[in-house]
Amino acid sequence: MVAADRTPPASPAADDLLVAPLVIDLKEAGSAQLRFVGGKALNLGKLLAAGFPVPSGFCLTTEAYERALPAEIADLASQLEAAQRARELIGSSPVPPTVETALRAAYAELGDLPGEEPAVAVRSSATAEDLPFASFAGQQDTYLGVAGADAVIDAVRRCWASVWSERAVAYRSANRVSHRNVGLAVVVQRQVDAATAGVLFTANPVTGTRTETVIDASPGAGQAVVSGTVNPDHFVLDTATAWVLHRTPGGPEHARPPSLSDAQLSELTSLGDRVQRLFGTPQDAEWVIDAAGRIWLTQSRPITTLYPLEDPSTSGREGPSSESDAGTRVYLCGTLLQGLTRPLTPMGLSVLGRVGNRNGPWKYLNPGLRMFVDLTPAMRSKLGRRYLLQVLPLADGRSASVFPALLEDPRFRVVKPTRKFAAKAERSGRPARTRSAERTRGAEVTRSTERTRGAEATAALGLFLKLVPALVRAAVRPEAELRRAKAYGKRLEAELALPEPATAFQRLDYAQHILDRMVNGLIQATLPGPATGYIMLALARRLLRGIAQPRELEAVLRGLPHNVTTEMDLELWDVARAVSADPASREAFLQRRPNELTVSFRAGALPPAAQAGVRRFLARYGHRAVAEIDLGMPRWAEEPDHILGMISNYLRVEDPEQAPDRQFARAAEHAEARIGTLVERAASRSRWRALLLRLALRRVRELSGLRELPKFNIVMVLAEMHRQLSRIGTELARNGSIAAPDDVFFLDFDEVRVGLRGAELWGIVAGRHRLYDRELRRRHIPRILLSDGTDVEAAMMAKSPPADGLSGTPASGGTATGKVRVVLDPVGAHLEPGEILVTPSTDPGWTPLFLTAGALVMEMGGVISHGSVVAREYGIPAVVGVPDATTLLHTGQMVTVDGSAGTVRQ
């Protein structure tokens, strides 16, 4: 997306004209502006104002830092390699007299007696520090045990210089924080003589559980625990009861007594809970206990690594939220099952939520700008449990591996009828208030479950009745079904045209309702074919029971005809062959970057053979995209960099046997040979069984490839919605409601309508862009998330770390040895022929890479996930659901992938 300055235009505000004092008491820092005191001082000031035990002190504001900065720093701010020079300038420059005078006076006031020079802690407090999205922990310097005014001044100067340390510069760059605008205040506090010290997390930072407190402690100063120079005692407690769930001694057992008593653990847990309530978000706090046993807080900042429970950009807007009054909920990440690790734009989430919540029994929510499905009602039903146990292993092996443990969790037990639930509570002898609450809760859960069951049954019955005739028709006359499904696509394309001219409000109405009007008809027109194909696959599996292993049927699905995604990839290969045959085109693609080729293509300036081939391909497939189910993502017709990069990759295929069309043909030949073998084996049992098996497998080959067609057509509708919203975005940007046309995808339909009436939406868009950018950087997404924040897989791995070696779910048979190529984003990715493609996940936008890959390894997925199916169709080995594959494997590493055993070995 196009970057834009989304700061609302405004006249200078009154507070911009104010100049901060050089020094303020720490008690006053909590009500100061972040840009004057920095994150650390701001939080400490809030703690002091709320009555928490914080050592007294003062804050030297950013005004002092600004006065002390040498003039050359402004020029160096844009030169990252100049960080060392910046440090040297600050370290050698004198502290301005006004700053030194204010600093000496404030330090003198910390003494209890005239002339006393107390030991203090001198700590950096950057304006980009202790923020909700980035803690900047340890990026600037802290100095302990500093005594004497001269020593304090020297420590302050070193804190200022630490803004330009390599680690601080790199951290700001990674978090997209401007070097030019960062300011530094300095906190000076009386130092507590610590008997014990450590850190406290008000949520478990490993598992994400918000109901647990984690404490690390060690005798002496807390800096040793923070810096990792000691092995601390480790405690995990239930926050509500302060009950110790786990305790791990820091040294050899019994080598020294525990650093904290149970009473101190309870007091710390309670203190942490109060701090969290003050700030309204889970906190990472540092603390010390003095010789008299008093606890002091020395810092508190947000825990920035937790997966969010609620998406602040959609809170209170369209769509359901977590039902906290119904107990702990279980959420499955639906966008991961679709092959997406990246967040979705707010408009994309809004559209998917409208369709999902309106047309099915499942409820959705969007923490972290990703779509999660609420599985709780299904888990509390026997029928729902059976369904999930059957489907999850196919969709995502890693989710399926942790799911059985949830079924044993009493919080998600099968809910019995209300009367029996209440009677059981009565017999248990629990207090009347508890029994009453459980009866109420049981009744609510039961009603919710019954409503869900009823909705599921009604929806399933309605869909079944509508599709049965079409399923029969497809089985009897597959050629006619193929023609019917493809004809619908052409009809849909014509129906999507919005009569012109159209006003912005007409375009908005069209975009808001077109998918609702078309989705049911689209499914009915294109689903029967592939559904019949997979029904026939199930029939074949039954006919081969006792004759062949289920995995032997996998080969039948290789090289399937009529798959629109496969056809797309092979057409792109044809374009690459035409480019390769033309010397001017070949030279252009081998010598220039994809973004440079895009500029030439838009200008019509590629060599004629390449220009015509790419234009022809985009005319058919330009509505597709990477992460294409997100309405907000630019389509290939808008940004063809990815496609042009794939053509460049294909030009590096020199071995004719590695050519994608040849590989696909071999896969189809292998499938036909496997059908012949299986039919022969069935004939040894029964001639009629063999005839029925042959018919079933023929239908599998004829119809299963259509499985991509429903999504292909839905994406066509999304692309037209995207086009209309882009035109609306252009008008909103021209009118000043938003900064750039693409900002329209960071609104919902109602907000767009308000913007068309003249409202200024810069602030809303800017907040959502910050969240979106933060989530783009998130590498780990929970597959199964509880409403108390627990990442179920992480919690299980914390209890039972995995054994050595990489293994996952076998997805496509065969073995391949080659060099690893880790690819996190397919756009602009370079893949040499035969390399092992290692990715977090894939969707159809990735599949052009498959044509030259030697094998596929994915962190998520199951045997029916998109990457698995396409890998089988192309005949390349694949292992999916491999935890942390993109971090444990490295580009250039030589590995062997065994797609039958589900292993990746060096």
Side-chain angles (χ1 to χ4, degrees):
M1 295 195 175
V2 178
D5 180 4
R6 295 181 173 84
T7 304
S11 57
D15 63 351
D16 290 331
L17 304 177
L18 297 176
V19 176
L22 291 173
V23 172
I24 61 174
D25 192 284
L26 204 52
K27 292 193 295 291
E28 301 169 3
S31 57
Q33 295 185 38
L34 173 68
R35 64 195 178 106
F36 291 146
V37 299
K40 185 181 281 97
L42 182 69
N43 289 351
L44 287 172
K46 289 180 178 178
L47 289 169
L48 270 169
F52 284 90
V54 174
S56 60
F58 62 88
C59 174
L60 187 67
T61 68
T62 57
E63 176 65 21
Y65 174 73
E66 294 296 330
R67 292 190 191 184
L69 279 184
E72 299 93 322
I73 291 292
D75 295 327
L76 294 174
S78 60
Q79 305 173 31
L80 302 188
E81 67 277 8
Q84 182 175 351
R85 175 60 180 153
R87 291 198 306 277
E88 291 172 352
L89 280 172
I90 295 173
S92 61
S93 298
V95 176
T98 54
V99 174
E100 181 175 342
T101 299
L103 185 54
R104 287 181 181 277
Y107 174 68
E109 289 182 8
L110 287 181
D112 294 329
L113 299 172
E116 181 186 358
E117 295 186 331
V120 294
V122 181
R123 312 168 75 196
S124 305
S125 179
T127 54
E129 184 174 76
D130 295 355
L131 303 177
F133 64 92
S135 70
F136 283 75
Q139 300 309 312
Q140 281 79 228
D141 287 345
T142 289
Y143 299 95
L144 302 178
V146 180
D150 291 342
V152 170
I153 292 170
D154 181 61
V156 166
R157 183 189 286 111
R158 284 185 284 163
C159 283
W160 286 341
S162 71
V163 172
W164 298 98
S165 67
E166 284 86 354
R167 65 177 184 270
V169 169
Y171 194 90
R172 286 198 297 273
S173 298
N175 285 278
R176 303 178 188 177
V177 173
S178 168
H179 304 287
R180 190 180 300 276
N181 297 330
V182 70
L184 189 81
V186 179
V187 172
V188 179
Q189 289 175 282
R190 289 199 63 134
Q191 184 160 321
V192 177
D193 187 12
T196 307
V199 295
L200 176 153
F201 299 91
T202 64
N204 192 317
V206 175
T207 67
T209 307
R210 300 323 199 257
T211 58
E212 293 178 353
T213 295
V214 175
I215 298 173
D216 282 355
S218 183
Q223 193 68 13
V225 175
V226 175
S227 64
T229 57
V230 300
N231 194 21
D233 294 337
H234 180 74
F235 306 90
V236 180
L237 300 96
D238 176 73
T239 303
T241 63
W243 183 260
V244 180
L245 304 174
H246 306 285
R247 57 175 99 221
T248 306
E253 195 169 0
H254 307 305
R256 59 173 170 80
S259 53
L260 293 172
S261 66
D262 283 356
Q264 289 172 320
L265 287 169
S266 178
E267 187 177 355
L268 279 168
T269 300
S270 176
L271 183 64
D273 189 46
R274 287 165 47 214
V275 171
Q276 176 172 293
R277 292 177 189 276
L278 172 67
F279 289 108
T281 186
Q283 295 289 297
D284 163 7
E286 296 178 21
W287 52 270
V288 298
I289 301 178
D290 62 22
R294 185 179 182 188
I295 297 175
W296 297 88
L297 288 169
T298 58
Q299 182 165 305
S300 187
R301 56 181 170 240
I303 305 175
T304 59
T305 56
L306 297 174
Y307 194 81
L309 292 184
E310 185 177 13
D311 176 0
S313 77
T314 57
S315 179
R317 292 161 61 211
E318 184 176 311
S321 61
S322 172
E323 300 176 36
S324 59
D325 59 340
T328 307
R329 316 290 294 179
V330 183
Y331 306 126
L332 175 71
C333 188
T335 44
L336 269 183
L337 297 187
Q338 287 292 319
L340 297 184
T341 56
R342 63 179 296 134
L344 276 66
T345 59
M347 180 64 80
L349 278 172
S350 175
V351 169
L352 291 179
R354 284 165 57 90
V355 173
N357 288 319
R358 182 173 300 173
N359 295 308
W362 303 102
K363 297 299 181 185
Y364 301 90
L365 67 162
N366 305 323
L369 293 178
R370 295 167 179 88
M371 180 169 280
F372 282 76
V373 185
D374 188 348
L375 299 182
T376 318
M379 291 190 64
R380 289 175 173 157
S381 140
K382 289 183 179 179
L383 182 62
R385 287 180 170 221
R386 285 199 297 269
Y387 172 76
L388 292 172
L389 285 170
Q390 291 173 355
V391 170
L392 274 181
L394 303 175
D396 182 28
R398 287 172 63 182
S399 296
S401 67
V402 302
F403 189 69
L406 284 177
L407 298 182
E408 301 299 320
D409 192 316
R411 292 175 294 177
F412 312 120
R413 62 187 179 278
V414 173
V415 176
K416 298 179 180 179
T418 308
R419 289 182 181 178
K420 291 182 180 179
F421 186 92
K424 182 177 179 181
E426 294 286 352
R427 290 194 301 271
S428 70
R430 289 190 291 276
R433 181 178 300 174
T434 303
R435 295 198 305 269
S436 175
E438 290 191 351
R439 281 198 298 271
T440 302
R441 176 180 166 191
E444 291 172 351
V445 171
T446 301
R447 285 195 296 271
S448 173
T449 304
E450 289 171 350
R451 285 195 300 270
T452 302
R453 288 174 178 170
E456 288 174 345
T458 302
L461 180 60
L463 182 62
F464 179 76
L465 292 176
K466 289 179 181 178
L467 292 182
V468 164
L471 295 172
V472 173
R473 185 179 63 213
V476 174
R477 299 184 61 202
E479 300 86 357
E481 184 61 30
L482 287 168
R483 290 194 298 270
R484 186 178 295 105
K486 292 182 178 180
Y488 175 81
K490 295 180 180 178
R491 191 165 70 250
L492 174 65
E493 201 168 346
E495 291 175 359
L496 283 175
L498 175 66
E500 297 287 353
T503 67
F505 283 103
Q506 288 172 330
R507 296 186 195 283
L508 182 61
D509 288 337
Y510 170 88
Q512 186 169 3
H513 300 297
I514 186 66
L515 193 58
D516 292 339
R517 292 199 306 268
M518 290 188 168
V519 68
N520 287 337
L522 186 153
I523 290 173
Q524 292 174 33
T526 56
L527 188 63
T532 301
Y534 280 94
I535 289 171
M536 289 297 179
L537 183 65
L539 174 61
R541 187 173 286 113
R542 180 173 288 275
L543 290 170
L544 286 169
R545 190 172 294 172
I547 300 173
Q549 295 297 318
R551 289 194 64 84
E552 294 185 66
L553 273 172
E554 179 187 291
V556 175
L557 297 173
R558 292 187 170 181
L560 286 173
H562 314 305
N563 184 320
V564 68
T565 299
T566 304
E567 292 170 354
M568 176 190 76
D569 294 341
L570 292 176
E571 285 187 40
L572 188 61
W573 168 249
D574 287 339
V575 174
R577 286 199 299 183
V579 167
S580 182
D582 179 62
S585 298
R586 180 179 177 84
E587 182 180 4
F589 273 80
L590 289 178
Q591 299 298 323
R592 294 159 66 185
R593 297 176 180 274
N595 61 332
E596 297 170 339
L597 293 168
T598 293
V599 172
S600 296
F601 174 73
R602 287 172 175 163
L606 287 177
Q611 186 77 24
V614 173
R615 185 189 298 116
R616 188 168 54 251
F617 178 85
L618 292 177
R620 173 70 174 126
Y621 301 106
H623 67 282
R624 306 206 76 170
V626 176
E628 61 191 0
I629 64 169
D630 182 358
L631 174 66
M633 290 298 290
R635 307 289 118 175
W636 286 340
E638 298 173 75
E639 297 184 8
D641 306 44
H642 176 51
I643 294 305
L644 298 174
M646 289 301 98
I647 294 173
S648 298
N649 281 345
Y650 291 168
L651 295 181
R652 295 176 171 84
V653 177
E654 297 178 353
D655 182 356
E657 290 303 306
Q658 283 191 323
D661 54 348
R662 181 69 191 111
Q663 291 191 57
F664 187 78
R666 278 200 304 270
E669 292 166 4
H670 188 191
E672 294 295 337
R674 179 60 56 87
I675 289 176
T677 301
L678 293 174
V679 170
E680 284 181 12
R681 288 159 66 179
S684 65
R685 296 284 186 93
S686 162
R687 177 171 174 268
W688 290 107
R689 177 181 287 201
L691 289 173
L692 186 56
L693 178 64
R694 183 185 295 277
L695 174 64
L697 293 179
R698 287 266 68 83
R699 295 295 184 265
V700 169
R701 295 285 302 166
E702 291 166 326
L703 296 171
S704 297
L706 290 173
R707 73 176 195 88
E708 291 284 324
L709 197 56
K711 183 178 181 181
F712 181 86
N713 289 330
I714 288 174
V715 169
M716 190 183 300
V717 178
L718 291 176
E720 181 59 23
M721 295 169 67
H722 178 95
R723 190 174 76 88
Q724 297 298 338
L725 285 166
S726 293
R727 296 187 65 173
I728 295 170
T730 299
E731 182 163 335
L732 289 173
R734 185 168 57 245
N735 294 341
S737 292
I738 56 179
D742 281 348
D743 286 347
V744 72
F745 299 109
F746 286 80
L747 302 168
D748 64 20
F749 287 109
D750 292 339
E751 290 163 344
V752 172
R753 197 173 300 278
V754 171
L756 288 174
R757 295 191 182 110
E760 190 253 74
L761 303 169
W762 289 55
I764 293 174
V765 169
R768 291 178 189 159
H769 266 287
R770 285 193 294 271
L771 174 62
Y772 184 81
D773 290 344
R774 182 178 82 189
E775 290 302 322
L776 274 176
R777 299 193 294 273
R778 190 182 297 278
R779 290 291 303 275
H780 176 72
I781 316 300
R783 281 156 171 74
I784 298 181
L785 179 69
L786 302 188
S787 57
D788 67 1
T790 302
D791 177 339
V792 177
E793 183 181 44
M796 291 187 64
M797 292 179 69
K799 293 179 180 178
S800 303
D804 292 339
L806 294 181
S807 62
T809 300
S812 180
T815 61
T817 299
K819 290 183 178 179
V820 165
R821 177 73 67 171
V822 176
V823 179
L824 303 179
D825 186 340
V827 178
H830 173 72
L831 187 73
E832 292 288 343
E835 286 187 323
I836 309 301
L837 177 60
V838 180
T839 77
S841 61
T842 64
D843 74 348
W846 288 74
T847 58
L849 288 168
F850 287 27
L851 290 181
T852 54
L856 171 69
V857 178
M858 292 200 310
E859 291 184 334
M860 65 81 57
V863 294
I864 66 165
S865 59
H866 186 271
S868 303
V869 172
V870 176
R872 289 195 294 270
E873 291 182 3
Y874 289 175
I876 62 173
V879 181
V880 302
V882 181
D884 303 318
T886 59
T887 53
L888 297 175
L889 297 174
H890 308 284
T891 295
Q893 181 181 358
M894 188 68 70
V895 299
T896 296
V897 177
D898 187 333
S900 300
T903 59
V904 182
R905 302 188 184 282
Q906 293 192 40

